[in-house]
Amino acid sequence: SRIVILILTFFIPIPFGPEPPISPLHYQQGVDLAAYIDAIPYFSSFVGLREMGLIYYEMIFLGVYPEVRPPGPIYSWFLMGLRYSTENTVALSITIFVMESLTIFIWFNILKKQINLFSGLLLAFMPHSIWFGLLISSDIFIYFFSSLYFYIVLNQPSRFYKFVPLLCLLMVLSKPTGIVFCLGSLFLSKDYFKNNSEYFFSMFFMILILFFSIIYYLPYFLVEQNVIASNSELKEISHAGTSVIKNIVKFFYVFGFHPSESNLFFAEIIRYFYGFFFVLGFFLSLNFNKTFAIIIIPSILMLVLFLVPSWRYILPFLPLFIVLGSNFFVKQLFKINMQR
């Protein structure tokens, strides 16, 4: 089905989105793609690295508030390597779409014991995942790397645990969300590793990666707060303060309960339909796996308390949410029918 969708967009571009038309043949800068294109000079030369280093030097030693927020370098490296331009768009579009498809395949393997017909269909056709693949979004990278991470953590094949620090590093180099994966990894049990030396070696590198990631993304967070403060609409959405009602609204906003930017009625219906299962799945996931809970709870708290709420930030967790939530819903329906 994904191949059919991709082929169709070559001939019939999607007329809505952050920068329509959406097609592998169309040069896109929507979502946050423009930020990664602009950041290419930082990661493509020694001069660029030195300029980026000055941002951190002035921030840490001179107390200069940063005006630029360097993003994770991985997407910029892909943009350089695949030479993304107005004349060359197909290679990146296909690469991102393949990564999105592989991510769903990995999740089907992770949750093969939990998936039934209903939850399998919802996961396979989850529009949030397909849409970001078509948008060649930077979020697909952490989506992909996190699926490999969860394959190791949730399936617990000890021979792969040595790759946890590497995957955390790749996630940190992709998006700030990688920080919570580093945090969660510090709570992995010794039993998951082959021996004590492998455990302590992994924990040592996890602490280094966590320390690096916090410093690296500090300008990102500070500039984000400035952007929010200078925009009345974003400020209204983000700063709920101590209001219980506003924070509850923000919580549901994170899971997609908000008007569609495309103003398409069917898009809102689909978002609310999936959002219902996402919320159910979120609460069920807190008791599903300790490491998963340690990762998701800080993510939701950060979004609700400090940042602009958006489901794109919880994209790595949506496959588990949809399966757990839909399975629970179906079980409750069966129980109600059996009691009649």
Side-chain angles (χ1 to χ4, degrees):
S1 63
R2 277 168 162 71
I3 296 175
V4 172
I5 292 172
L6 181 64
I7 293 173
L8 282 175
T9 56
F10 273 93
F11 303 99
I12 310 173
I14 299 172
F16 52 83
E19 197 176 75
I22 306 301
S23 165
L25 300 176
H26 176 66
Y27 181 75
Q28 298 183 53
Q29 294 189 74
V31 192
D32 55 4
L33 182 53
Y36 289 88
I37 294 173
D38 293 342
I40 287 177
Y42 286 138
F43 310 117
S44 59
S45 67
F46 178 76
V47 173
L49 285 174
R50 187 175 63 183
E51 288 181 5
M52 188 172 67
L54 284 173
I55 297 172
Y56 294 92
Y57 174 81
E58 292 176 351
M59 177 185 68
I60 295 171
F61 297 105
L62 303 180
V64 177
Y65 202 93
E67 296 181 358
V68 179
R69 49 177 175 180
I74 282 185
Y75 197 15
S76 295
W77 289 337
F78 267 79
L79 291 167
M80 287 189 291
L82 296 175
R83 300 182 181 278
Y84 186 68
S85 65
T86 52
E87 293 80 26
N88 183 26
T89 60
V90 175
L92 181 67
S93 296
I94 291 177
T95 299
I96 297 294
F97 206 78
V98 167
M99 289 179 70
E100 184 276 332
S101 301
L102 285 174
T103 301
I104 291 297
F105 175 77
I106 293 168
W107 271 106
F108 265 96
N109 277 274
I110 295 172
L111 300 172
K112 57 188 175 184
K113 293 181 180 179
Q114 286 84 19
I115 288 176
N116 55 38
L117 178 61
F118 183 58
S119 59
L121 288 173
L122 290 181
L123 176 59
F125 293 100
M126 188 168 68
H128 309 65
S129 183
I130 296 172
W131 182 232
F132 267 41
L134 292 172
L135 290 178
I136 55 173
S137 167
S138 61
D139 298 277
I140 292 298
F141 288 90
I142 193 165
Y143 188 38
F144 174 69
F145 294 135
S146 65
S147 69
L148 294 173
Y149 175 90
F150 285 128
Y151 177 79
I152 295 173
V153 171
L154 298 181
N155 285 11
Q156 300 180 9
S158 60
R159 66 186 183 278
F160 292 136
Y161 263 85
K162 58 188 174 185
F163 295 112
V164 166
L166 173 61
L167 287 170
C168 285
L169 177 62
L170 290 172
M171 287 187 280
V172 162
L173 295 177
S174 300
K175 302 286 284 188
T177 313
I179 294 174
V180 293
F181 284 88
C182 295
L183 181 64
S185 298
L186 295 178
F187 293 89
L188 290 173
S189 170
K190 285 185 182 180
D191 298 335
Y192 290 163
F193 296 86
K194 287 184 177 180
N195 49 57
N196 284 341
S197 61
E198 186 175 288
Y199 169 77
F200 287 113
F201 179 80
S202 296
M203 291 301 110
F204 173 73
F205 274 97
M206 290 308 312
I207 292 171
L208 287 181
I209 295 168
L210 182 61
F211 181 72
F212 160 78
S213 62
I214 291 172
I215 293 177
Y216 184 84
Y217 284 113
L218 185 56
Y220 193 99
F221 178 77
L222 293 174
V223 173
E224 180 80 3
Q225 294 306 300
N226 261 357
V227 171
I228 292 172
S230 61
N231 186 305
S232 57
E233 184 178 350
L234 292 180
K235 190 174 181 180
E236 176 66 24
I237 296 172
S238 303
H239 294 165
T242 57
S243 169
V244 176
I245 299 298
K246 286 185 178 180
N247 279 302
I248 291 174
V249 170
K250 279 192 70 176
F251 172 81
F252 282 99
Y253 200 109
V254 170
F255 290 90
F257 288 90
H258 58 82
S260 171
E261 292 182 6
S262 62
N263 294 317
L264 295 174
F265 179 70
F266 78 89
E268 292 190 11
I269 294 298
I270 292 172
R271 182 180 290 159
Y272 294 157
F273 174 76
Y274 270 85
F276 170 75
F277 295 115
F278 290 156
V279 172
L280 271 180
F282 163 70
F283 287 110
L284 293 168
S285 72
L286 301 181
N287 196 41
F288 182 74
N289 178 273
K290 184 183 75 172
T291 303
F292 189 92
I294 292 171
I295 291 170
I296 187 60
I297 290 173
S299 300
I300 297 296
L301 287 176
M302 283 291 292
L303 287 170
V304 172
L305 297 177
F306 302 110
L307 301 174
V308 178
S310 172
W311 58 261
R312 63 177 294 197
Y313 297 117
I314 60 169
L315 184 63
F317 317 112
L318 294 186
L320 182 62
F321 291 165
I322 193 66
V323 171
L324 293 182
S326 58
N327 283 353
F328 177 81
F329 180 75
V330 169
K331 286 179 182 177
Q332 298 309 307
L333 285 182
F334 272 119
K335 283 183 180 179
I336 293 172
N337 287 329
M338 291 294 290
Q339 291 171 357
R340 288 180 177 178

